[in-house]
């Protein structure tokens, strides 16, 4: 099955009870048992047919064994961290999603989980960070907002040598462009709030495991801690996923055009886009993914200029989040990365005048005209 077909016919595909081609929203918390212990579904935290259809679908399209749906990306990440115990150490990409940084340094640190943040684009730094109690490496590629690329296959080799688990946040690339399990990852996770949902109308998180054993452990954690996704939101996600392929193809085309335009513009400084051959991660990304995605970051002269740009744009919506049908625009230094001290932020390369865009599905000519006017 080709990947666009799998988005539509993967997983459960149609309702086994009625044949409905759209899996119904089973808005039920409990299920009648035919006799004590004789049931297909027991209680909806443990399993619900709508959520289960979504979980089978994401496992299928990521090429894994088991899938799990949670009430948000952060709830999914939390479940993954709960695989570990007090005294364990994890290595994470240094510019991980802000919420991941926060939960690791302000919540899980209180439970004795130690973390080291390293530039995982540098494999030596990854190796140097491994301690006797290290249990996993957690990667984001491309990263936010500078779109740095980590070599998944190479990190997987390091992880396997040292008997470490490899966890990949695949939110930015989506399973349409990148399948980390095929490159050696043990767990893939998504903020499905972004491209998978795709319409700015649902908050959700998804996990996929490469093997059955970690899958069983995660099902135990999901059922024990209870951060499950409801049936209505599970249905919305399945609806979003059906069009993931055509959305990602169109976003890819729009993004290339916009990245080229920005590069040639006199008011723009640096342009960060992994689809440029001059991007330091270009070769690696091209090897491990089939598309470059819809995110671009670029610099203008100052924070003031960036604010003016955001005020002037008409079609780019000033908002957090990404991966929607609407094009979105933000200033990381004042929004998503405001909690990082300025000095550290500049050190990471997140300048005051850095602007991040998530390219949507509007006509690219309108988007170009919008940026042209706003940059003038
Ligand atoms: C948004 C996001 C998250 C968190 O997901 P929520 O659905 O907002 O909880 C995690 N990782 C990345 C890369 C994200 O963009």
């Amino acid at each position: 099955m080709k990947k666009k077909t799998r988005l539509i016919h993967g997983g459960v595909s149609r309702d086994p009870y009625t044949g409905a081609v759209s899996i119904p929203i089973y808005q039920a918390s409990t299920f009648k048992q035919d006799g004590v212990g004789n049931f297909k579904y027991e209680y909806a935290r443990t399993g619900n047919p709508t959520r289960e259809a979504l979980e089978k679908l994401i496992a299928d399209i990521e090429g894994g064994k088991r899938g799990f749906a949670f009430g948000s990306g952060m709830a999914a990440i939390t479940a993954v961290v709960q695989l570990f115990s007090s005294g364990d150490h994890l290595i994470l990409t240094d510019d991980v999603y802000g919420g991941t940084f926060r939960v690791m340094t302000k919540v899980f640190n209180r439970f004795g989980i130690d973390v080291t943040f390293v530039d995982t684009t540098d494999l030596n730094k990854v190796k140097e960070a491994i301690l006797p109690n290290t249990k996993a490496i957690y990667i984001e590629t491309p990263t936010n907002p500078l779109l740095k690329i980590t070599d998944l296959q190479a990190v997987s080799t390091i992880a396997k040598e040292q008997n470490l688990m490899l966890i990949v946040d695949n939110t930015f690339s989506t399973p349409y462009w990148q399948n980390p399990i095929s490159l050696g990852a043990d767990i893939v996770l998504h903020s499905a709030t972004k491209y998978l949902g795709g319409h700015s109308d649902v908050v959700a998180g998804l996990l996929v495991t490469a093997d059955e054993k970690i899958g069983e452990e995660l099902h135990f954690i999901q059922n024990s801690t209870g951060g499950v996704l409801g049936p209505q939101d599970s249905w919305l996600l399945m609806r979003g996923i059906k069009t993931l392929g055509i959305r990602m193809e169109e976003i890819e085309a729009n993004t290339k055009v916009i990245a080229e335009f920005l590069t040639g513009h006199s008011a723009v400084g640096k342009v960060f886009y992994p689809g440029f051959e001059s991007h330091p991660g270009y070769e690696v990304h091209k090897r491990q993914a089939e598309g470059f995605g819809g995110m671009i970051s670029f610099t203008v002269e100052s924070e003031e200029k960036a604010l003016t740009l955001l005020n002037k744009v008409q079609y780019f919506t000033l908002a957090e989040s990404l991966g929607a049908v609407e094009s979105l625009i933000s200033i990381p230094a004042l929004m998503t990365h405001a909690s990082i001290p300025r000095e550290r932020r500049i050190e990471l390369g997140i300048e005051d005048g850095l602007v991040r865009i998530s390219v949507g599905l509007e006509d690219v000519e309108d988007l170009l005209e919008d940026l042209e006017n706003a940059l003038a």
Side-chain angles (χ1 to χ4, degrees), residues 36 229 261:
V36 176
L229 190 66
F261 162 82

Side-chain angles (χ1 to χ4, degrees), residues 54-363:
L54 167 66
E55 292 177 332
K56 289 200 161 133
L57 178 63
I58 190 66
D60 215 0
I61 62 183
E62 275 292 10
K65 282 278 185 320
R66 297 281 298 273
F68 302 97
F70 291 84
S72 69
M74 289 320 302
I77 291 166
T78 294
V80 170
V81 180
Q82 284 166 336
L83 287 168
F84 305 101
S85 304
S86 173
D88 287 348
H89 172 252
L90 314 177
I91 296 167
L92 285 88
T93 300
D94 58 1
D95 52 350
V96 277
Y97 177 70
T100 307
F101 182 82
R102 182 174 57 194
V103 79
M104 297 310 307
T105 56
K106 295 225 154 77
V107 180
F108 284 115
N109 61 323
R110 294 193 279 109
F111 294 84
I113 308 267
D114 285 328
V115 290
T116 304
F117 295 95
V118 300
D119 178 359
T120 53
T121 65
D122 184 340
L123 298 172
N124 286 324
K125 289 199 176 140
V126 176
K127 285 185 198 154
E128 281 163 23
I130 297 172
L131 302 172
N133 59 337
T134 304
K135 292 286 155 61
I137 305 175
Y138 181 114
I139 303 287
E140 251 175 64
T141 179
T143 59
N144 173 29
L146 294 174
L147 304 156
K148 293 190 333 198
I149 306 298
T150 293
D151 186 334
L152 290 174
Q153 193 113 51
V155 174
S156 157
T157 304
I158 297 171
K160 287 200 164 58
E161 275 165 16
Q162 305 282 333
N163 213 8
L164 309 178
M165 203 182 275
L166 176 61
I167 302 157
V168 179
D169 182 335
N170 202 28
T171 302
F172 270 39
S173 281
T174 84
Y176 188 71
W177 291 136
Q178 180 170 275
N179 296 117
I181 288 174
S182 71
L183 300 162
D186 299 291
I187 299 176
V188 174
L189 65 93
H190 288 279
S191 168
T193 312
K194 316 294 167 54
Y195 289 105
L196 293 171
H199 296 73
S200 308
D201 53 12
V202 60
V203 172
L206 295 171
L207 293 181
V208 178
T209 67
D211 74 28
E212 205 46 71
K213 187 176 160 288
I214 301 174
E216 262 318 299
E217 285 175 45
L218 277 170
H219 183 251
F220 181 80
I221 288 169
Q222 185 193 39
N223 188 40
S224 302
T225 60
V228 293
L229 190 66
Q232 173 116 19
D233 286 346
S234 297
W235 179 85
L236 268 173
L237 260 191
M238 281 189 280
R239 187 162 82 155
I241 289 170
K242 286 181 216 267
T243 58
L244 181 68
I246 52 164
R247 283 189 286 113
M248 294 314 287
E249 296 280 0
E250 187 76 3
I251 285 171
E252 184 80 5
N254 284 356
T255 307
K256 283 206 167 104
V257 174
I258 292 171
E260 289 291 344
F261 162 82
L262 287 169
T263 303
H265 200 286
S266 60
V268 173
K270 295 177 211 141
V271 179
F272 300 91
Y273 173 59
F276 285 146
E277 278 178 47
S278 57
H279 186 290
Y282 174 80
E283 287 300 332
V284 172
H285 187 82
K286 203 172 153 213
R287 198 178 341 114
Q288 66 192 13
E290 291 177 74
F292 296 100
M295 304 301 297
I296 307 172
S297 292
F298 60 96
T299 58
V300 290
E301 208 181 291
S302 61
E303 183 181 298
E304 203 188 335
K305 288 256 159 70
L307 282 166
T308 309
L309 171 68
L310 264 64
N311 279 332
K312 281 171 130 181
V313 282
Q314 223 186 323
Y315 300 126
F316 283 88
T317 305
L318 167 58
E320 303 236 357
S321 199
L322 60 106
V325 292
E326 306 84 16
S327 291
L328 303 176
I329 190 163
S330 63
I331 302 180
L334 298 178
M335 299 169 68
T336 45
H337 293 67
S339 62
I340 305 175
R342 184 166 185 274
E343 207 173 302
R344 169 78 182 135
R345 189 161 51 65
I346 304 282
E347 213 174 84
L348 286 171
I350 305 166
E351 298 173 24
D352 298 332
L354 187 76
V355 176
R356 186 191 83 174
I357 57 177
S358 165
V359 177
L361 294 175
E362 298 91 343
D363 193 306

